[in-house]
Amino acid sequence: MIHDCDLCGSANREPLGLPGGRDIAICQDCGFIYVPERRSMAEVARAWDDIYGAAYDPSWPGVRARLWYIAEWLDQRFSFHARNVLDIGAGDGFFLQQVSGRGGWPHAIESAASNVSKLHSLHGTRLTTTHGWVDADAPKDDRRFHMVMILWTLENCADCVQMLRYAANSLAPGGHVVVATGSRILVPFKKPLSSYLSGIAPPDTHAFRFSRRSLERAMSLAGLVVEAEND
């Protein structure tokens, strides 16, 4: 399916020139960097089944470090104690281990069956897990959460605004949606351009490249207001 700009709706875009059909484009009206031609969320989720443990390994020290940092920052600012926390795209559960260890109640949505097994082995009955993906604005059940986490996952879906709306609709009163994505300085291209032009993986496995302002715009379209940000 071909998408116009997710943030402003414009069809005025400039492709970068990737080989193999699908391409990264720059919106000529608002500057958002996105992939216009995308598979369905189900297809993208199935692709990540193959990427996990091969091209991407959540046990890498750098991945562990950034998840621990987010957990520590959030716990100091808002506290996980006695709070229900949903992690969309929970991976192997390392972040939810941090939540549980700080007194929170972990919940997960995860698309990879192998990761769902790991989640249960780590948390047992303390964890509730939905095996699937976010593909609709309405939450999959009636539970509401004090925090909904989207950690290095917003760029890996087929509709970033829809995922944010899903998260917003899953909140308990006074709750927070937490997004971590991209580089520490939130610029769209954090790696050499050759990394994006290699054609190794389909571009829509990372369909969006956020700057600070484009992330704020996506959140505002979902009815969210930025309350705090880390450095």
Side-chain angles (χ1 to χ4, degrees):
M1 183 176 178
I2 305 297
H3 295 255
D4 294 332
C5 177
D6 299 81
L7 301 191
C8 75
S10 173
N12 182 20
R13 54 181 173 262
E14 183 68 27
L16 292 186
L18 282 173
R22 291 187 178 90
D23 204 351
I24 299 172
I26 302 172
C27 176
Q28 298 299 284
D29 290 318
C30 76
F32 189 46
I33 299 172
Y34 68 102
V35 176
E37 184 179 351
R38 299 173 215 155
R39 294 165 291 175
S40 70
M41 190 60 243
E43 291 175 291
V44 174
R46 283 193 290 269
W48 276 95
D49 281 354
D50 297 327
I51 293 170
Y52 259 97
Y56 174 85
D57 189 336
S59 68
W60 290 336
V63 175
R64 292 291 199 245
R66 71 189 187 187
L67 292 174
W68 184 91
Y69 174 82
I70 294 295
E72 186 66 16
W73 182 82
L74 281 171
D75 194 38
Q76 290 182 20
R77 189 171 188 101
F78 300 110
S79 179
F80 288 125
H81 182 71
R83 295 179 182 253
N84 286 314
V85 180
L86 172 65
D87 192 2
I88 298 177
D92 67 353
F94 178 79
F95 179 82
L96 290 178
Q97 275 187 298
Q98 310 309 304
V99 171
S100 182
R102 291 165 170 81
W105 292 94
H107 307 264
I109 296 177
E110 172 56 34
S111 64
S114 58
N115 281 334
V116 171
S117 298
K118 291 178 183 177
L119 286 163
H120 284 301
S121 67
L122 283 171
H123 299 281
T125 57
R126 186 177 174 85
L127 172 74
T128 60
T129 304
T130 299
H131 180 204
W133 46 85
V134 171
D135 56 5
D137 289 346
K140 295 180 183 298
D141 56 48
D142 294 330
R143 287 175 297 180
R144 292 295 179 266
F145 304 93
H146 300 103
M147 295 184 197
V148 178
M149 317 300 302
I150 309 176
L151 307 180
W152 289 277
T153 298
L154 190 62
E155 61 269 40
N156 302 331
C157 67
D159 189 327
C160 59
V161 176
Q162 182 187 70
M163 179 172 280
L164 287 166
R165 285 182 181 141
Y166 182 99
N169 291 337
S170 299
L171 289 176
H176 297 86
V177 173
V178 181
V179 179
T181 185
S183 66
R184 292 180 184 87
I185 56 175
L186 272 181
V187 294
F189 292 112
K190 61 177 180 174
K191 300 176 182 177
L193 278 177
S194 58
S195 299
Y196 303 97
L197 302 173
S198 64
I200 294 174
D204 66 341
T205 54
H206 289 85
F208 313 104
R209 314 282 169 173
F210 291 100
S211 67
R212 184 181 301 273
R213 292 189 67 181
S214 63
L215 179 56
E216 288 179 356
R217 172 61 177 163
M219 295 177 77
S220 70
L221 289 172
L224 296 166
V225 176
V226 176
E227 180 178 328
E229 60 185 72
N230 64 25
D231 56 3

